[in-house]
């Protein structure tokens, strides 16, 4: 079966966040082995693509505030780039930001080009423009993850206010329902735990109390999964919480377990698992280069970066696509420029994968592989 013949949705939703397990897929492992042996790849397998840095929401806690509203690819260039990726060995593209990816006026054509080339597509979106691109999202995208972070209009408007000055929460929920009815791929409801505090450190605003209600709404909408994530500071470090707040979340999570089934999965990010266990926000690493940077890269209008954590960081910049092709940029990219020991002290989702690839260097003999189930490594 060719990639183009596979059903759109990844079949093992419960393993979405198992980044180590994904290394041992039959078509992925050869590239992983090359990286483990210290060789460069001709192409990354996965690209995080920021079509634009524009966004129609005005979220005060936006982790991308440092790069927001700093430009976008021209319509001609992003279509050229889509064709360059279509002609490469890239297996999957995640449309993300930096900004709201669906705000780029050429995004529908980009989706068509990449899907037509057999490249798997994922989308991280705020959901405000789902209705505009319902056909493309339903028929051509493997998964859509909507950043909701609330279960009610009141809480949503506190943390995700619209630049339109009116709440977009009811519209997004309605459009998610429409997508759920038609989708060939997967639909996810993302919940980022957030709190605001006053000068004395007292919590003034929180969405922690809506975890259970949000999970129930996600299932009612027709989502395939509900994902819980921990709050990060501006430098991507996890923010440990008071014991009673963590307990409140875990109590709701346990209650949600009663509605989980084969068609609806509950996922917890690695950063929340670190917070709930009280782990040190500083994650120590003993390797001098990030192996995953060779497998996956981040393309933005303002440059290509080693990963999303380093968007806008000159040290993490691999190249620029303004006057060069994707192939030329990648050939000349130095994916070892960032030293995780000093430059990536935050809790990184890639860390277990990097440790696994490092261990592969010392491993000899046959390796047990699995059938392909998810190219988004």
């Amino acid at each position: 079966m060719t990639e183009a013949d596979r059903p759109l949705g990844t079949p093992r939703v419960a393993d979405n966040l198992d980044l180590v397990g994904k290394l041992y897929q039959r078509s992925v492992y050869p590239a992983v082995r090359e990286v483990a042996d210290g060789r460069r790849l001709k192409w990354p397998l996965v690209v995080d693509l920021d079509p634009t840095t524009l966004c129609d929401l005005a979220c005060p806690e936006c982790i991308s505030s440092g790069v927001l509203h700093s430009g976008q690819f021209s319509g001609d260039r992003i279509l050229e780039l889509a064709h360059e990726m279509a002609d490469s060995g890239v297996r999957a593209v995640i449309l993300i930001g930096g900004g709201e990816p669906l705000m780029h006026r050429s995004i529908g054509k980009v989706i068509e080009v990449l899907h037509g080339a057999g490249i798997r597509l994922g989308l991280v979106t705020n959901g405000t423009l789902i209705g505009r691109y319902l056909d493309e999202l339903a028929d051509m995208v493997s998964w859509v993850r909507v950043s909701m972070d609330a279960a009610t209009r009141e809480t949503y408007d506190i943390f995700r206010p619209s630049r339109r000055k009116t709440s977009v929460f009811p519209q997004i929920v309605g459009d998610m329902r429409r997508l759920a009815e038609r989708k060939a791929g997967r639909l996810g409801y993302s919940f980022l735990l957030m709190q605001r505090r006053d000068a004395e450190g007292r919590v003034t605003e929180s969405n922690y109390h809506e975890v259970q209600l949000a999970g129930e709404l996600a299932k009612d909408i027709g989502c395939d999964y509900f994902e819980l994530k921990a709050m990060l500071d501006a430098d991507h470090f996890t923010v440990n919480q008071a014991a009673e707040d963590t307990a409140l979340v875990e109590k709701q999570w346990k209650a949600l377990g009663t509605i989980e089934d084969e068609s609806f999965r509950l996922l917890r990010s690695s950063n929340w698992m670190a917070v709930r266990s009280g782990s040190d926000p500083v994650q120590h690493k003993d390797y001098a280069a990030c192996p995953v940077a060779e497998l996956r890269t981040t393309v933005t209008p303002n440059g290509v970066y080693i990963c999303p954590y380093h968007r806008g960081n000159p040290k993490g910049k691999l190249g620029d696509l303004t006057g060069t092709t994707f192939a030329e940029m990648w050939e000349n990219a130095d994916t070892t420029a960032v030293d995780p020991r000093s430059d990536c002290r935050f809790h990184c989702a890639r860390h277990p994968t990097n440790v696994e690839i490092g261990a592969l260097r010392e491993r000899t003999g046959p390796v047990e592989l699995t059938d392909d189930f998810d190219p988004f490594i």
Side-chain angles (χ1 to χ4, degrees):
M1 179 184 292
T2 67
E3 195 64 39
D5 294 328
R6 296 183 189 280
L8 266 188
T10 51
R12 289 161 53 177
V13 176
D15 296 325
N16 275 12
L17 302 182
D18 181 13
L19 300 181
V20 172
K22 291 180 185 181
L23 298 178
Y24 293 97
Q25 298 173 93
R26 297 188 194 284
S27 70
V28 171
Y29 182 74
V32 173
R33 183 76 250 182
E34 286 192 57
V35 172
D37 292 339
R39 295 192 292 273
R40 286 219 64 201
L41 299 181
K42 186 176 180 181
W43 309 101
L45 298 188
V46 181
V47 171
D48 290 293
L49 174 60
D50 298 358
T52 180
T53 64
L54 303 179
C55 188
D56 54 348
L57 297 186
C59 310
E61 286 81 14
C62 180
I63 197 70
S64 298
S65 59
V67 298
L68 276 182
H69 304 288
S70 59
Q72 64 179 350
F73 285 106
S74 70
D76 289 342
R77 183 63 189 108
I78 199 167
L79 286 175
E80 289 175 352
L81 182 56
H83 284 288
E84 290 168 15
M85 290 184 186
D87 293 335
S88 75
V90 171
R91 299 270 309 281
V93 171
I94 300 171
L95 302 170
I96 193 170
E100 167 50 47
L102 295 183
M103 285 196 72
H104 198 292
R105 292 186 179 276
S106 297
I107 197 65
K109 294 179 180 177
V110 169
I111 291 173
E112 290 177 5
V113 169
L114 295 175
H115 172 71
I119 293 176
R120 293 290 153 150
L121 289 164
L123 170 67
V124 179
T125 176
N126 64 25
T128 61
L129 297 174
I130 286 175
R132 181 181 296 178
Y133 296 102
L134 187 61
D135 291 342
E136 292 90 339
L137 302 186
D139 300 335
M140 303 180 191
V141 177
S142 290
W143 55 263
V144 175
R145 190 177 77 218
V146 186
S147 301
M148 295 295 284
D149 312 333
T152 64
R153 174 174 178 165
E154 293 73 23
T155 299
Y156 184 91
D157 290 347
I158 289 170
F159 291 103
R160 302 188 68 78
S162 172
R163 297 182 188 277
R164 306 176 198 175
K165 307 303 182 185
T166 58
S167 180
V168 293
F169 181 77
Q171 172 208 320
I172 295 171
V173 170
D175 284 345
M176 288 177 71
R177 291 187 189 279
R178 293 168 62 201
L179 179 58
E181 291 175 354
R182 291 187 47 189
K183 62 181 174 59
R186 303 291 188 180
L187 176 60
Y189 194 116
S190 178
F191 193 103
L192 175 67
L193 291 161
M194 291 187 288
Q195 290 180 336
R196 291 180 190 156
R197 299 176 181 270
D198 61 19
E200 284 72 42
R202 294 173 299 220
V203 175
T204 59
E205 305 283 359
S206 174
N207 66 355
Y208 279 46
H209 61 290
E210 288 196 356
V211 170
Q212 183 178 347
L213 192 59
E216 291 168 349
L217 175 59
K219 183 164 187 177
D220 184 68
I221 286 171
C223 293
D224 297 283
Y225 65 92
F226 175 72
E227 181 177 349
L228 186 70
K229 299 187 292 185
M231 180 171 63
L232 306 177
D233 67 17
D235 296 315
H236 300 286
F237 286 91
T238 53
V239 180
N240 282 339
Q241 303 298 300
E244 59 267 28
D245 292 333
T246 302
L248 173 62
V249 172
E250 288 299 303
K251 180 180 179 181
Q252 295 173 84
W253 193 260
K254 183 177 180 180
L256 282 176
T258 62
I259 66 171
E260 185 178 27
D261 54 33
E262 287 301 315
S263 64
F264 180 70
R265 293 295 189 179
L266 301 175
L267 307 177
R268 287 184 289 188
S269 70
S270 59
N271 58 29
W272 171 248
M273 299 304 287
V275 168
R276 71 186 287 270
S277 64
S279 298
D280 189 335
V282 174
Q283 186 182 59
H284 298 282
K285 303 173 179 72
D286 59 5
Y287 44 89
C290 173
V292 177
E294 196 65 28
L295 296 165
R296 180 169 174 171
T297 198
T298 300
V299 173
T300 84
N302 301 308
V304 181
Y305 293 90
I306 201 162
C307 74
Y309 295 107
H310 287 285
R311 275 192 192 99
N313 175 13
K315 187 172 184 180
K317 189 172 182 178
L318 301 179
D320 192 286
L321 291 170
T322 303
T324 188
T325 66
F326 182 70
E328 292 167 339
M329 178 283 304
W330 186 251
E331 183 179 5
N332 296 309
D334 180 4
T335 58
T336 67
V338 167
D339 186 340
R341 295 172 299 183
S342 56
D343 300 322
C344 309
R345 291 167 57 79
F346 44 75
H347 185 89
C348 175
R350 299 178 171 200
H351 177 59
T353 305
N354 283 332
V355 172
E356 185 73 12
I357 293 174
L360 276 173
R361 296 187 185 117
E362 311 301 323
R363 190 179 304 175
T364 58
V367 174
E368 184 176 351
L369 302 180
T370 66
D371 291 336
D372 290 357
F373 64 92
D374 190 337
F376 299 93
I377 60 174

